[in-house]
Amino acid sequence: MSAHTEALLTLFLAFTAARLLGHLFQRFKLPAVVGELLAGALLGPQLLELVHSGESLDTFAELGVIMLLFMSGLETDIGLFKRYAAA
């Protein structure tokens, strides 16, 4: 199996497991992010060892963090932030 195929398969497996566990947790009225984190813990090297860290997966992880920070910045209420900063 080529490196590109393995990287795409790993990404697909991680994304699918995160979405499935996220939906399952939402069905039980729990935060989806808890299910997504649990999927990462289950698939990672700590338990099932199905997903191994590599250069391509690390790159996708860094892009995910950048997107998460960007999205949280978009949802920040600047007026509320200024009121709390002035207090």
Side-chain angles (χ1 to χ4, degrees):
M1 186 182 295
S2 73
H4 294 294
T5 305
E6 186 175 339
L8 287 175
L9 183 63
T10 299
L11 184 63
F12 174 76
L13 181 65
F15 181 74
T16 303
R19 294 293 293 178
L20 287 175
L21 280 177
H23 283 298
L24 181 69
F25 271 59
Q26 277 185 330
R27 191 167 283 227
F28 289 113
K29 305 223 186 296
L30 295 168
V33 71
V34 177
E36 294 164 353
L37 289 171
L38 182 63
L42 286 173
L43 294 177
Q46 289 80 13
L47 292 175
L48 298 178
E49 296 185 27
L50 294 175
V51 175
H52 299 284
S53 181
E55 185 177 336
S56 60
L57 192 60
D58 290 343
T59 302
F60 283 120
E62 289 176 9
L63 285 173
V65 169
I66 290 169
M67 287 174 30
L68 177 69
L69 290 172
F70 180 72
M71 290 175 63
S72 66
L74 287 177
E75 293 181 10
T76 301
D77 184 5
I78 299 297
L80 185 63
F81 185 73
K82 285 180 182 178
R83 277 198 316 242
Y84 285 138

